[in-house]
Amino acid sequence: MWNDSVNRAGDETPSLSRYFVQMENSATRNDPFPSDAVTYDPSAIELKWQRLWQERGTNHTDLKRAQRPFYALMMFPYPSAEGLHVGNLFAFTGNDIYGRFQRLMGHNVFEPFGYDAFGIHSENYALKVGQHPMELIPRNIVNFQRQIERAGLMVDWRYRLATTDPNYYKWTQWLFLQLLKQGLAYKKQAAVNWCPKDKTVLANEQVVSGGICERCGTPVEQRLLEQWFFRISNYAPRLLENLDHIDWSETTKTAQRNWIGRSEGAELAFETHDLNGKECEIRVFTTRPDTIYGATYMVLAPEHPLVESLTKPKQKKHVDEYREKTKNQDLVTRKTSTEKTGVFTGSYAINPATEKEIPIWISDYVLMEYGTGAIMAVPAHDERDFAFAQAFGLPIRHVIAPADGQEPPDDRAFVAHGETERLINSGEFTGLGAVEGNEAIIAWLERRGIGHASVNYRLRDWLVSRQRYWGCPIPVVYCERDGMVPVPESELPVELPDVEDYQPRGRSPLGAAEDWVNTTCPICGGPALRETDTMDTFVDSSWYFLRYCDARNDEAAWDREVLRAWMPADQYIGGIEHAILHLMYARFFVKALADMELLDVQEPFAALFTQGMILGPDGGKMSKSAGNVVSPAPIVERYGADAARCYALFIGPPDQDAAWSEKSLEGVHRFLARLWRVGDELAPGADEAPATNAARQPPSPEGDALALVRKANWAIDKVTGDMSGRFAFNTAIAAIME
Ligand code: ANZ
């Protein structure tokens, strides 16, 4: 009766099926509490208590006076559907239970809630159902809230926020202006991934294998647009180093590290001549300076600015055609494609080590965005260069041998460079180990003044412009006389206009709102045009946890004093799908704000827990198209919020995916019913009486009562251990059932 796939925690997991078999048996055979006993009516019980919590302000946290603050933060949802998904409920319940646990441990727990309501998720949903997001999204928010309240979360609703509220995005815009002042927001022409169906720019990670749009499966194209960027790349070293000081899983930290992608090596110059015979240099970044004697050709990215002046007339036609062809390719395909293509420019550079002429090619496997956009190619020791040299018959020169006296293989690239590998064919460096050789060659480059040690990061600046309607307007205007002018802070928010036709068509739909677009220049008072792009939703979600703590502040984005007590958030819980970008962006914001002395912390989330997904009853990812979506509302109505919550956490280890099963939920419901009847039998009317637990306990229990006290203490110990930083909700619940 229990889906085996959910019983995965190894030895520690109690046999869940055992409990349910027992429950089923007892329900039919020897139930000590026959049906004439008091019935368990979860709706009545839960509604009564939820109303009381509200009346008494049970879930209110006084942020200014808290003695032992504990910030229980959950990733806020996109209200991009009519109501909650059972997966949302599962995620929020984990956080809520953890918050309640911390409250029982004596903390002043702050559990806020809000809505990540701008963005493409919400807009696409609005487009699909044919309603305007300005009407639809607030309605969805009301539905979400009703369901969250009914699910019994201990949310302090006084701090509720929605990123679409002008009172919130006023400060998103204010933050944009602060970044602009610091030079951390800037505009430039950039080749971007463009989805022709969604008609928007996509981040690299929204492009999946084969150059396909993650959302709609359409092949992605490249386009050149003037776009806003945040200079997150400035923070790459700190984003990397700080990972050592936070309590996150190794998996998440590794994902962050890989995304930042630090490489050590050297930057060096190769000399060449342009078409007019003028001397110029091509700078390259290499992680393997030790292989410099093996550089037998060079490759420039097709977009490299030197291509024009290095291409000989004879090669021009080919080069132009090739550049045209690669222009429309997306970056992901370029990085992953195994088929090597390229064209010779007709020019040569001098390898500074061998002093030989080497041909200069262009190819799409070299990316303009990384390093210097040009490479020294070492086919003997790099796989991509080897494939390219093979394809075009370029020379291959071995400069690294596996060990003294051994020959490297010649049917493939020999890439090892550890303790035993030796330099060969490398002039004065021959015989050195690969590691010493690396250092010696960098020193030699430095002495000759043609290169130096260098560190490169893969992390690119964050493209924040979106040519979409449903987002936070970017608070700048363009004046013919004064150029780009920031909107003065006193004029914020720049409100999003109500545009009837918000279909994405490649240009921002805000362009059509003429009354809104045409404005005056804050400097000269002359005519000016507003920026019509909106901000990436990830901007909204990069600082909401700061605003929560001071959500009603009209004077400032937050009070620094309050945040000093509450940041970093003690525990952040959410989906693994946000383990890279959202976390990286939030970390960047916090660091930039700390540098501006607007905040006193370096990291937003002291501890992070990423949850698995709830799958459909068929074990597949829940989706409308698969028809396996479970909505929590009818479940809560039928079995009660307590059963739904308890089941969601009992379903399996919370960091793993698990299939939804209504049958098992019934089992949990029966367990609660039984508990309720036992309680009523042993202590009738207990829920009506004021809480005086201490007085109720017999002074010195004996016999069965003593065994029960022992078991209860064992359970408390077990639950405390399972919960503390481990989130082993499922085994904790099993202990309580025992
Ligand atoms: C010569 C060489 C010899 C290289 C060798 C590797 C092995 P990571 O580790 O990712 O930083 N490269 C540099 N810039 C590039 C660009 N814009 N597009 C494509 N490839 C680029 O990789 C650094 C290495 O990737 C560099 O070191 C360079 O090739 C290549 F046996 O230089 B190497």
Side-chain angles (χ1 to χ4, degrees):
M1 66 171 280
W2 183 265
N3 181 345
D4 273 338
S5 70
V6 296
N7 194 358
R8 300 146 302 191
D11 294 337
E12 242 203 288
T13 305
S15 161
L16 302 180
S17 28
R18 207 181 71 216
Y19 289 110
F20 292 129
V21 169
Q22 277 175 2
M23 274 181 229
E24 281 209 328
N25 289 346
S26 66
T28 48
R29 281 192 278 117
N30 53 352
D31 191 337
F33 306 101
S35 53
D36 59 341
V38 58
T39 49
Y40 173 55
D41 178 1
S43 296
I45 300 162
E46 291 164 5
L47 288 173
K48 169 186 153 181
W49 286 103
Q50 286 166 8
R51 205 188 55 241
L52 278 173
W53 294 340
Q54 206 168 28
E55 279 168 23
R56 296 174 183 168
T58 307
N59 298 326
H60 288 181
T61 313
D62 185 344
L63 267 62
K64 294 212 164 108
R65 256 184 289 275
Q67 296 291 316
R68 296 184 63 201
F70 187 94
Y71 191 169
L73 180 67
M74 55 192 131
M75 290 183 185
F76 65 165
Y78 306 124
S80 55
E82 278 303 337
L84 284 184
H85 187 279
V86 99
N88 298 132
L89 182 69
F90 166 67
F92 302 149
T93 300
N95 183 69
D96 186 59
I97 300 291
Y98 197 70
R100 286 173 184 273
F101 170 71
Q102 291 297 343
R103 187 148 88 178
L104 291 171
M105 301 292 277
H107 286 108
N108 303 100
V109 178
F110 178 40
E111 185 176 313
F113 200 88
Y115 304 92
D116 196 3
F118 266 142
I120 211 158
H121 286 83
S122 298
E123 189 183 288
N124 283 351
Y125 178 70
L127 283 165
K128 204 171 105 196
V129 299
Q131 289 176 42
H132 198 281
M134 280 204 176
E135 285 149 25
L136 180 70
I137 299 303
R139 224 172 32 238
N140 284 3
I141 286 180
V142 170
N143 276 339
F144 263 61
Q145 178 141 345
R146 198 173 35 236
Q147 293 183 33
I148 295 285
E149 282 178 304
R150 182 60 191 86
L153 268 70
M154 58 178 278
V155 170
D156 190 341
W157 290 106
R158 299 172 307 167
Y159 296 86
R160 181 187 96 135
L161 58 81
T163 55
T164 44
D165 182 347
N167 189 31
Y168 181 86
Y169 69 71
K170 168 181 179 175
W171 301 108
T172 309
Q173 293 172 340
W174 179 82
L175 287 166
F176 182 95
L177 295 179
Q178 307 316 304
L179 293 173
L180 188 62
K181 266 192 236 166
Q182 300 298 316
L184 291 172
Y186 67 96
K187 210 173 180 192
K188 73 165 183 200
Q189 271 254 334
V192 292
N193 301 306
W194 176 261
C195 171
K197 176 144 183 278
D198 284 341
K199 300 210 167 34
T200 192
V201 170
L202 300 176
N204 281 346
E205 47 294 338
Q206 292 171 315
V207 182
V208 292
S209 63
I212 300 288
C213 171
E214 172 195 61
R215 254 189 318 268
C216 67
T218 310
V220 171
E221 300 168 1
Q222 290 289 290
R223 273 207 187 176
L224 271 185
L225 289 175
E226 274 274 312
Q227 315 246 25
W228 283 98
F229 287 82
F230 286 164
R231 218 179 284 282
I232 188 173
S233 62
N234 272 16
Y235 284 80
R238 277 163 67 194
L239 287 167
L240 188 67
E241 281 151 28
N242 255 44
L243 286 172
D244 296 339
H245 310 297
I246 46 183
D247 176 20
W248 294 13
S249 74
E250 272 314 309
T251 326
T252 312
K253 287 194 196 182
T254 304
Q256 296 255 311
R257 284 190 190 108
N258 291 341
W259 193 254
I260 298 167
R262 182 178 193 275
S263 290
E264 269 181 34
E267 200 178 304
L268 68 145
F270 281 63
E271 254 175 41
T272 181
H273 292 89
D274 68 12
L275 288 182
N276 305 321
K278 213 178 108 220
E279 216 170 75
C280 63
E281 55 180 37
I282 301 174
R283 300 199 71 81
V284 303
F285 170 71
T286 176
T287 44
R288 297 288 309 279
D290 58 315
T291 63
I292 189 167
Y293 284 80
T296 53
Y297 66 98
M298 301 192 77
V299 187
L300 306 185
E303 316 84 322
H304 196 289
L306 281 176
V307 174
E308 199 70 40
S309 58
L310 289 177
T311 302
K312 294 272 157 75
K314 204 173 136 215
Q315 275 78 19
K316 185 153 171 44
K317 186 164 168 274
H318 272 122
V319 167
D320 287 350
E321 276 169 13
Y322 188 76
R323 293 179 94 187
E324 192 54 39
K325 198 179 86 196
T326 47
K327 217 164 79 184
N328 266 331
Q329 251 172 24
D330 73 281
L331 293 178
V332 176
T333 309
R334 277 179 61 169
K335 269 190 244 178
T336 50
S337 164
T338 46
E339 196 204 324
K340 294 283 174 279
T341 60
V343 198
F344 178 43
T345 62
S347 286
Y348 294 82
I350 306 291
N351 179 325
T354 61
E355 296 179 347
K356 287 209 175 87
E357 281 200 327
I358 57 175
I360 305 169
W361 285 65
I362 63 170
S363 169
D364 64 358
Y365 82 98
V366 174
L367 308 175
M368 195 57 226
E369 289 71 25
Y370 188 64
T372 60
I375 64 160
M376 64 176 212
V378 184
H381 305 290
D382 180 272
E383 277 160 8
R384 293 160 301 178
D385 298 346
F386 184 82
F388 192 83
Q390 290 251 306
F392 296 102
L394 291 159
I396 299 176
R397 175 185 162 107
H398 295 279
V399 293
I400 304 285
D404 271 335
Q406 286 183 20
E407 286 294 314
D410 54 16
D411 58 339
R412 61 189 159 86
F414 178 66
V415 299
H417 58 122
E419 292 294 309
T420 57
E421 283 75 27
R422 292 273 168 276
L423 267 64
I424 54 171
N425 300 326
S426 297
E428 59 184 283
F429 305 101
T430 298
L432 289 181
V435 181
E436 313 152 68
N438 215 43
E439 282 162 21
I441 288 176
I442 292 177
W444 175 78
L445 291 170
E446 282 173 358
R447 275 200 308 278
R448 291 196 39 185
I450 53 169
H452 53 83
S454 158
V455 173
N456 236 290
Y457 294 91
R458 291 226 161 251
L459 184 66
R460 299 275 69 94
D461 278 345
W462 172 11
L463 197 171
V464 297
S465 288
R466 294 291 178 272
Q467 294 70 47
R468 296 284 293 228
Y469 170 63
W470 193 237
C472 174
I474 294 174
V476 304
V477 304
Y478 302 94
C479 162
E480 231 164 70
R481 214 194 67 139
D482 297 303
M484 189 274 291
V485 181
V487 172
E489 289 177 14
S490 60
E491 287 174 26
L492 300 182
V494 175
E495 285 207 35
L496 183 69
D498 191 343
V499 171
E500 204 172 311
D501 177 10
Y502 62 95
Q503 282 280 348
R505 291 201 175 81
R507 233 181 284 136
S508 173
L510 289 183
E514 282 179 23
D515 289 352
W516 181 86
V517 173
N518 289 298
T519 181
T520 49
C521 170
I523 297 176
C524 70
L529 296 176
R530 287 192 191 279
E531 168 66 66
T532 55
D533 281 357
T534 53
M535 284 186 233
D536 179 6
T537 341
F538 277 118
V539 180
D540 307 325
S541 56
S542 290
W543 74 282
Y544 75 107
F545 43 88
L546 304 174
R547 182 68 180 169
Y548 268 151
C549 299
D550 206 4
R552 301 278 93 82
N553 192 336
D554 291 329
E555 308 296 314
W558 56 77
D559 176 343
R560 195 167 161 184
E561 264 321 296
V562 175
L563 289 199
R564 205 169 284 155
W566 287 91
M567 285 299 294
D570 297 274
Q571 183 65 54
Y572 196 24
I573 298 192
I576 186 79
E577 69 276 18
H578 292 302
I580 299 181
L581 284 187
H582 161 59
L583 297 177
M584 191 77 77
Y585 294 154
R587 296 181 63 220
F588 158 65
F589 257 61
V590 163
K591 286 180 168 46
L593 291 166
D595 288 352
M596 293 180 226
E597 301 193 349
L598 293 165
L599 263 188
D600 299 280
V601 288
Q602 287 293 331
E603 286 289 334
F605 318 120
L608 171 78
F609 181 70
T610 49
Q611 283 178 308
M613 260 188 318
I614 296 253
L615 306 173
D618 53 356
K621 191 175 167 180
M622 273 192 202
S623 74
K624 280 241 169 71
S625 54
N628 60 356
V629 173
V630 178
S631 157
I635 286 168
V636 168
E637 200 161 302
R638 176 136 183 234
Y639 300 100
D642 284 336
R645 288 160 59 97
C646 193
Y647 170 64
L649 298 182
F650 193 40
I651 191 168
D655 56 348
Q656 291 173 33
D657 298 347
W660 182 262
S661 150
E662 183 144 353
K663 192 110 195 263
S664 310
L665 170 62
E666 275 169 29
V668 172
H669 171 80
R670 267 198 306 279
F671 166 74
L672 294 180
R674 196 164 166 208
L675 191 67
W676 181 259
R677 292 192 305 251
V678 172
D680 191 71
E681 166 85 8
L682 299 180
D687 72 317
E688 300 300 333
T692 51
N693 297 344
R696 244 169 228 292
Q697 271 174 20
S700 48
E702 20 180 87
D704 282 353
L706 179 62
L708 191 61
V709 169
R710 285 216 172 104
K711 194 74 192 174
N713 278 307
W714 168 83
I716 289 169
D717 184 54
K718 168 93 177 123
V719 168
T720 309
D722 284 352
M723 295 286 290
S724 304
R726 294 215 307 128
F727 310 97
F729 301 117
N730 56 328
T731 51
I733 292 172
I736 294 171
M737 287 180 167
E738 258 187 69

